């Protein structure tokens, strides 16, 4: 056992030497302003969401008691899935226990060479989230990485591979969680159609915040994609995830997706709360507009002081500092002033692009933003 422990300890020490060691934050800490939370609309504390959770707890108890295929299939899941499908203009939807689980296991199921009749080709944005890579590492399917958000590069790669008969997948995020930029979804959807590729888009950071009635960038008619995935863990204030897709894909996943078949259904308490949050989304246009206005103002003020906010165009604003140690120092200096921010380092982001990730939410006030900008300028 000692040899194992020594090996693991050496690995963590090596990470620490490079400024890459991760540590769980102190749970007792209360921040004056928090720019690290993904509760973009404050729905984790919305009274209607909390009431729905209480009612479900009384009606169903704490857990689903089994996989959806065994004892865990409740009316609640079916009703919520029908609602998600309608709002995403999709034929059907399927709920998962977490976003990571959905991406990793749905994609692993979809890229099955035996089922498709040939080894598929996956065209993936270079900055895709770890859960999207996981599926391909798991299955050994090769990814062709296109430059981040560069549809011309994607087109060139698709054209290079236009003559084979391999099935093609395009996999990306609609809003990138560490950069806060958004893809041109209608253009991407058109490109996918042109090349007969299946388009899979992760809407984790768009769900609730962007798109028609807050239902993400794939909810608009011209922007329709084949499979839209989204999480309940960010703007909906809870946990879990959904896939919106054609009925044939839902049937296939119910039969083959390990993360659906072999996992206990999401707790009915969470499902009911997330359904209430989802139903609230169309009423939150003013909050969404305010969030985007705050982000635009913040970017302008930071850029005026010489900070690099990358290509951000949403409520997520990176301050790219480059060096890991610099990002950690800036984070700690802000925390010392009661302002919590996340320092994001490789491998979560590419080498030499360590950053502070500022996530705005509707609870932020002008005073919070003033203090943030002043603190950043002085550190
Ligand atoms: C783009 C993206 N996809 C998926 C996930 C995973 O979602 P979850 O936290 O629900 O597992 C995240 C969360 O970090 C994310 O940022």
């Amino acid at each position: 056992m000692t040899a194992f422990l020594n090996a693991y300890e050496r690995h963590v020490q090596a990470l620490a030497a490079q400024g890459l060691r991760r540590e769980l934050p102190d749970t007792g800490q209360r921040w004056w302003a928090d720019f690290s939370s993904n509760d973009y609309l404050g729905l984790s504390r919305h009274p209607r969401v909390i009431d729905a959770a209480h009612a479900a707890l009384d009606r169903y108890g704490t857990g689903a008691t089994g996989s959806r295929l065994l004892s865990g299939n409740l009316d609640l899941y079916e009703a919520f899935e029908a609602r998600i499908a309608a709002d995403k203009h999709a034929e059907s939807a399927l709920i998962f226990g977490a976003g990571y689980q959905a991406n990793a296991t749905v994609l692993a199921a979809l890229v099955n060479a035996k089922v498709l009749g040939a080894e598929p080709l996956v065209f993936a944005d270079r900055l895709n989230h770890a859960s999207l890579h996981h599926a391909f590492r798991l299955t050994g399917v090769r990814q062709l990485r296109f430059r981040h958000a560069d549809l011309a590069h994607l087109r060139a790669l698709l054209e290079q591979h236009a003559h084979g008969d391999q099935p093609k997948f395009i996999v990306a995020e609609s809003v990138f969680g560490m950069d806060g930029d958004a893809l041109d979804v209608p253009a991407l959807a058109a490109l996918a159609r042109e090349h007969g590729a299946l388009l899979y888009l992760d809407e984790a950071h768009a769900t609730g915040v962007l798109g028609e009635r807050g239902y993400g960038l794939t909810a608009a008619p011209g922007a329709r994609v084949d499979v839209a995935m989204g999480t309940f863990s960010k703007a909906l204030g809870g946990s879990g995830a959904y896939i919106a897709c054609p009925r044939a894909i839902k049937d296939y996943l119910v039969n083959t997706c390990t993360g659906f078949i072999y996992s206990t259904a999401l707790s009915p308490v969470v499902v009911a709360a997330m359904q209430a949050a989802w139903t609230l989304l169309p009423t939150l246009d003013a909050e969404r507009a305010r969030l985007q206005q705050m982000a635009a103002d913040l970017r302008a003020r930071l850029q005026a002081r010489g900070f690099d906010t990358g290509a951000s165009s949403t409520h997520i604003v990176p301050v790219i500092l480059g060096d890991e140690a610099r990002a950690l120092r800036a984070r700690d200096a802000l925390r010392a002033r009661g302002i919590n921010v996340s320092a994001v380092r490789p491998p979560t982001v590419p080498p030499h692009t360590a950053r502070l990730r500022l996530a705005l939410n509707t609870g932020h006030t002008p005073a919070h933003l003033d203090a943030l900008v002043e603190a950043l300028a002085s550190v």
Side-chain angles (χ1 to χ4, degrees):
M1 187 63 184
T2 316
F4 289 95
L5 300 186
N6 286 344
Y8 299 139
E9 272 172 18
R10 269 199 310 278
H11 183 76
V12 174
Q13 279 159 9
L15 290 174
Q18 299 166 71
L20 298 177
R21 182 188 170 129
R22 294 178 164 107
E23 276 175 297
L24 291 171
D26 178 0
T27 55
Q29 192 74 47
R30 291 286 167 270
W31 304 107
W32 176 70
D34 192 345
F35 290 91
S36 74
S37 160
N38 291 326
D39 189 12
Y40 305 128
L41 298 169
L43 290 181
S44 73
R45 305 227 161 231
H46 194 288
R48 295 254 288 273
V49 177
I50 291 174
D51 285 350
H54 281 152
L57 183 60
D58 291 339
R59 178 162 175 208
Y60 299 99
T62 52
T65 77
S67 156
R68 292 275 297 283
L69 289 164
L70 302 173
S71 57
N73 197 29
L74 304 173
D75 52 348
L76 201 57
Y77 304 101
E78 303 264 354
F80 191 15
E81 285 172 348
R83 173 74 202 253
I84 293 170
D87 290 328
K88 297 291 278 184
H89 307 293
E91 281 180 10
S92 68
L94 194 59
I95 293 175
F96 286 80
Y100 197 104
Q101 182 179 344
N103 278 339
T105 64
V106 168
L107 282 167
L110 292 179
V111 297
N112 187 318
K114 274 207 193 103
V115 172
L116 295 171
E119 191 70 34
L121 280 176
V122 174
F123 299 83
D125 189 286
R126 228 171 239 169
L127 297 190
N128 275 350
H129 187 259
S131 54
L132 296 163
H133 293 304
H134 193 106
F136 308 119
R137 270 209 311 273
L138 208 67
T139 51
V141 169
R142 181 164 161 236
Q143 292 185 74
L144 296 155
R145 303 280 192 86
F146 56 94
R147 283 192 291 274
H148 173 53
D150 184 342
L151 298 193
H153 188 213
L154 171 60
R155 175 182 289 283
L157 288 177
L158 284 164
E159 282 168 3
Q160 257 174 41
H161 294 86
H163 302 300
D165 55 2
Q166 288 174 279
K168 299 182 184 69
F169 289 80
I170 299 174
V171 179
E173 298 174 37
S174 62
V175 170
F176 283 80
M178 296 301 135
D179 290 79
D181 56 343
L183 283 184
D184 180 347
V185 177
L188 184 60
L191 192 54
R193 269 197 303 276
E194 206 183 301
H195 287 269
L198 187 152
L199 176 57
Y200 182 106
L201 271 192
D202 176 332
E203 294 245 76
H205 296 280
T207 302
V209 181
L210 293 168
E212 266 180 23
R213 305 190 302 149
Y215 289 126
L217 294 177
T218 68
R224 231 163 273 166
V225 305
D226 302 301
V227 182
M229 171 274 179
T231 57
F232 305 140
S233 54
K234 320 285 185 218
L236 271 76
S239 64
Y242 65 88
I243 298 285
C245 60
R247 194 163 291 112
I249 290 189
K250 174 170 175 169
D251 282 348
Y252 173 74
L253 293 173
V254 166
N255 282 280
T256 60
C257 178
T258 53
F260 180 80
I261 300 171
Y262 301 109
S263 185
T264 299
L266 196 57
S267 160
V269 179
V270 176
V271 176
M274 294 303 94
Q275 187 175 20
W278 182 273
T279 308
L280 279 167
L281 292 181
T283 69
L284 301 175
D285 278 343
E287 284 77 0
R288 280 188 285 274
R290 195 167 75 75
L291 197 55
Q292 296 312 328
Q293 188 56 54
M294 268 196 299
D297 291 346
L298 177 63
R299 277 192 298 273
R301 291 172 72 181
L302 291 174
Q303 285 162 9
R305 284 170 166 78
F307 287 108
D308 177 3
T309 58
S312 162
S313 60
T314 69
H315 54 293
I316 299 165
V317 181
V319 176
I320 301 170
L321 299 170
D323 177 58
E324 287 85 43
R326 211 168 154 219
L328 289 178
R329 272 202 309 277
R331 177 198 68 186
D332 292 344
L334 263 70
R335 284 184 174 173
R337 297 170 183 227
I339 301 173
N340 190 28
V341 297
S342 308
V344 189
R345 293 160 285 161
T348 308
V349 292
H352 316 299
T353 69
R355 66 197 63 191
L356 301 180
R357 174 184 183 267
L358 309 176
L360 296 186
N361 69 59
T362 47
H364 289 138
T365 63
H368 290 145
L369 293 167
D370 290 347
L372 173 68
V373 173
E374 288 317 314
L376 274 167
S378 69
V379 303

